[in-house]
Amino acid sequence: MNSLTNGRTKSAALFGAALAGVLVIGTPANAQDGQTATAELRTGEGEPVGTAQFVETPGGVEITVNVTGNVAPGERGMHIHESGDLSDPAFESAGDHFNPTDAEHGFDNSNGPHAGDLDNIIVAEDGTASYSYLNDRITLSGGENAILDSDGSSLIIHDMPDDYTTDDDPETGPGMSGDRVAAGEIEGSESLPDTGGPALLVPAGAALAALGAGALLFVRRLRARA
Ligand code: ZN
């Protein structure tokens, strides 16, 4: 055994592994910041209702909703539901409120709220609404409170205001919010271009790992010649 070339082989391997390791460790802890998602809201008959935007921020997920029509004026409950399945026209297929922590419903419930609970949305007399809410109980992706999980999630507007208290009512459901009148599947987007660290780091890490492997092969060839 030639101890010198063996040493080189180990060095090349360690060099490649170290570079890859630095790149992985170098990923910012708040890598999800700036990630976005959207939902196109519609009625059970497929009429457009508006759009919702979700942006991951250090303080939580900032949710903005713009209602453009097809929902009657008034104060209405609105929640993130546990599934993105909206195949049922009554949107029952979306399941219950998103609730990964096994809490009860409602901000005013001592055992609440659900992670997916939101402030009521108020639709004006002209049928429009502009709404924003910062939810620090959810993330878009990463961790058990991620709404972009394997079965997705949806944003649903109800027929009646959420009373923020009732865990469940046999007739009108959690918060006594009633029927589900509009909904949209929450669909994730790529990171914003100016925060695209992870998207760039992965190919860079792969390239450097390949470089390390190439150096390893080169040293092995040298050893074979010797
Ligand atoms: Zn709830």
Side-chain angles (χ1 to χ4, degrees):
M1 176 68 72
N2 183 323
S3 64
L4 179 62
T5 48
N6 191 41
R8 277 183 191 157
T9 306
K10 281 182 181 164
S11 298
L14 285 171
F15 177 69
L19 274 177
V22 164
L23 285 165
V24 171
I25 292 163
T27 303
N30 58 350
Q32 309 303 326
D33 281 358
Q35 189 184 5
T36 63
T38 58
E40 297 289 327
L41 301 165
R42 59 179 174 80
T43 66
E45 289 77 43
E47 300 163 311
V49 165
T51 58
Q53 294 243 329
F54 303 76
V55 179
E56 187 102 52
T57 77
V61 174
E62 183 74 45
I63 303 168
T64 56
V65 182
N66 281 293
V67 170
T68 54
N70 292 316
V71 175
E75 183 176 353
R76 308 186 176 283
M78 184 166 68
H79 315 102
I80 296 167
H81 286 248
E82 61 189 353
S83 163
D85 180 357
L86 301 176
S87 54
D88 169 23
F91 304 129
E92 293 298 327
S93 49
D96 295 331
H97 296 178
F98 181 63
N99 182 26
T101 59
D102 201 24
E104 292 186 7
H105 173 82
F107 297 116
D108 297 335
N109 180 333
S110 58
N111 296 316
H114 293 146
D117 289 354
L118 305 172
D119 280 354
N120 288 332
I121 187 168
I122 298 171
V123 180
E125 287 300 318
D126 67 359
T128 67
S130 294
Y131 170 100
S132 70
Y133 178 82
L134 181 66
N135 188 329
D136 63 1
R137 288 163 278 111
I138 60 170
T139 65
L140 289 182
S141 59
E144 67 168 8
N145 292 352
I147 58 174
L148 299 176
D149 54 2
S150 58
D151 65 348
S153 63
S154 54
L155 183 72
I156 294 184
I157 298 176
H158 293 258
D159 187 37
M160 297 190 289
D162 186 339
D163 70 1
Y164 301 140
T165 304
T166 306
D167 183 47
D168 201 5
D169 177 80
E171 296 293 320
T172 58
M176 303 187 76
S177 301
D179 291 343
R180 305 172 179 197
V181 296
E185 181 180 1
I186 301 170
E187 298 179 283
S189 320
E190 294 301 315
S191 295
L192 295 175
D194 62 341
T195 62
L200 293 172
L201 284 173
V202 169
L208 280 163
L211 198 67
L216 189 65
L217 278 173
F218 179 70
V219 171
R220 274 185 182 158
R221 277 187 198 143
L222 280 182
R223 191 169 61 171
R225 281 182 194 169

